[in-house]
Amino acid sequence: MQFETIPHPSPMADDAREAAIADPGFGTVFTDHMVTIDYDEGAEGSVGGGWHSPRIGPREPIALDPAASVLHYAQEIFEGMKAYRLADGELALFRPEENARRFNASARRMAMPELPEELFLEAVNKAVTADAKWFPSVEGGSLYIRPFMFATEAFLGVRPAKQYKFIVILSAAGNYFKSGSPAVSIWQSEYTRAAPGGTGAAKTGGNYAASLVPTGEAFKRGHDQVLFLDAVEKKWVEELGGMNLFFVMRDGSVVTPPLTGTILPGITRNSLITLLGEEGLSVREEPYSIQQWRSDAASGDLVEVMACGTAAVVTPVGKVDSADGEFVIGNGGPGAVTSKIREKLVGIQRGSVDDTHGWVKLVG
Ligand code: PLP
Ligand code: COI
């Protein structure tokens, strides 16, 4: 499919852009362009059953019919990925085909059309290429990439829509956590995020909507993230609002909750399982209870906990608070395994550590 290029009438002036990306934080500084692809069931000359009119143009508001089904029944999915700058100045993506694959897994769960993986990757590459000069030069900076899809059909009956939009926007990003603290502090919520058979493994807006009240509670109490337990027994550790968890034990083993359909199958999680194995640590994907966490932290059997995700990278968890009171992990700061694995991951992503797995893909 041929992408149309719509010229930008007024991209941001160089000095204004430089000021905007000097200290971008996370999620508020957006670039000049966006990619859009439309879907109409059975559209003529389309690919993948109806994708058509791919274009890159100015980032701008979207006109939507007030009956657009996403506004009523939340048929929406998204991805989160980053472009990194390699030592030689080139921009690269980390395992982008995994995001394309997960996007389609989310699409299937939400009764939405799949987007051919090549088209997803081409859209991402085109967006990053168009706005490469928005790459922030701050330490740890990246271009955060947000591909998403939603139902645009004007129809109030409850059924899968027949029209969708796929869009890619970009945001200059620094650190996700603004506290700047060496370890994050989390709040164990009484609310649950996802039940068996639900949408927990899909990256769909509704999961995040459900997390906002507990996240608000966490923030109000001075914590950085919310921790969710399983919805059935309210016992097993699942994940944080936007990150997966790893538990590093004193005996050198590592535990991470298994992918049972109620947590997001993180690409960072998958990468860490490989990297930890290479460091000689055996990773067990098995259930870990909050009681066990508390008692292992107290006994010292648990030495480190890390939270990981695209936005958060690898971040130590220092402290857990809940209705049952607070406990600290290790010395409450970053531990040796967390620091080492973070360095290795970031090194691969930014080209200073050998990419033996072929995870890094140059943009273009
Ligand atoms: N869990 C949730 C709920 C998330 O939103 C994310 C972030 O995307 C992750 C885990 C980590 O996934 P990934 O490593 O693919 O970014
Ligand atoms: C990501 O890590 O990309 C996410 O989507 C998490 C989100 C909470 C920012």
Side-chain angles (χ1 to χ4, degrees):
M1 254 201 297
Q2 209 47 38
F3 275 70
E4 181 190 358
T5 301
I6 302 160
H8 199 307
S10 54
M12 195 181 276
D14 288 347
D15 52 349
R17 184 188 65 248
E18 288 303 327
I21 64 178
D23 184 15
F26 184 86
T28 59
V29 177
F30 299 103
T31 68
D32 287 322
H33 295 88
M34 67 193 224
V35 165
T36 307
I37 312 178
D38 292 312
Y39 181 94
D40 287 273
E41 202 170 278
E44 228 172 281
S46 63
V47 299
W51 291 105
H52 65 92
S53 313
R55 56 204 182 271
I56 178 152
R59 179 179 184 279
E60 60 188 7
I62 308 154
L64 270 187
D65 191 286
S69 40
V70 65
L71 301 177
H72 304 272
Y73 310 127
Q75 234 191 331
E76 189 270 354
I77 59 171
F78 67 98
E79 269 304 321
M81 49 206 291
K82 282 175 173 174
Y84 303 90
R85 194 180 289 291
L86 304 180
D88 64 5
E90 291 215 69
L91 293 186
L93 304 169
F94 183 71
R95 309 185 74 184
E97 59 296 329
E98 294 298 324
N99 294 95
R101 230 170 270 155
R102 187 172 64 188
F103 192 69
N104 282 337
S106 299
R108 288 192 295 275
R109 179 62 184 85
M110 302 307 290
M112 298 167 87
E114 292 183 43
L115 182 70
E117 279 176 29
E118 322 77 69
L119 201 49
F120 178 100
L121 295 172
E122 190 176 355
V124 165
N125 273 282
K126 280 205 155 37
V128 174
T129 303
D131 282 330
K133 60 184 174 191
W134 281 84
F135 195 96
S137 52
V138 285
E139 169 79 23
S142 62
L143 268 182
Y144 183 77
I145 307 165
R146 176 52 62 89
F148 60 107
M149 189 215 306
F150 56 95
T152 54
E153 187 188 2
F155 178 65
L156 293 183
V158 182
R159 60 140 169 80
K162 295 181 175 171
Q163 289 165 336
Y164 298 87
K165 245 183 215 314
F166 169 77
I167 295 179
V168 182
I169 56 171
L170 306 174
S171 179
N175 280 327
Y176 186 72
F177 293 112
K178 50 177 176 298
S179 70
S181 130
V184 297
S185 140
I186 62 183
W187 167 250
Q188 177 209 318
S189 178
E190 298 295 317
Y191 288 96
T192 56
R193 173 184 176 274
T199 58
K203 210 159 165 60
T204 183
N207 291 338
Y208 298 80
S211 79
L212 297 178
V213 164
T215 299
E217 281 179 0
F219 290 171
K220 215 160 66 195
R221 292 167 184 271
H223 301 293
D224 304 292
Q225 274 277 302
V226 62
L227 164 69
F228 290 109
L229 303 183
D230 79 287
V232 178
E233 296 182 70
K234 298 209 176 169
K235 169 178 179 184
W236 305 105
V237 172
E238 297 233 296
E239 61 180 331
L240 303 186
M243 286 150 231
N244 295 118
L245 287 168
F246 284 80
F247 301 87
V248 183
M249 314 310 281
R250 185 163 48 188
D251 67 6
S253 66
V254 179
V255 176
T256 191
L259 301 180
T260 53
T262 54
I263 69 172
L264 194 80
I267 295 161
T268 319
R269 173 189 181 281
N270 180 276
S271 308
L272 289 195
I273 290 175
T274 300
L275 297 179
L276 288 163
E278 288 172 359
E279 294 296 320
L281 297 161
S282 74
V283 182
R284 286 175 283 134
E285 295 178 67
E286 63 183 36
Y288 190 66
S289 72
I290 185 72
Q291 295 95 318
Q292 192 71 43
W293 185 350
R294 190 182 279 272
S295 69
D296 286 346
S299 70
D301 284 346
L302 174 71
V303 287
E304 300 177 40
V305 177
M306 24 186 184
C308 70
T310 299
V313 197
V314 177
T315 304
V317 175
K319 186 168 78 177
V320 183
D321 193 10
S322 72
D324 301 330
E326 179 175 297
F327 62 95
V328 172
I329 298 115
N331 61 6
V337 174
T338 306
S339 303
K340 184 161 192 193
I341 224 66
R342 179 190 165 100
E343 241 168 69
K344 188 157 182 198
L345 177 72
V346 170
I348 295 171
Q349 290 169 334
R350 295 176 191 263
S352 61
V353 170
D354 239 3
D355 173 28
T356 55
H357 302 283
W359 284 344
V360 174
K361 301 286 153 70
L362 290 183
V363 169

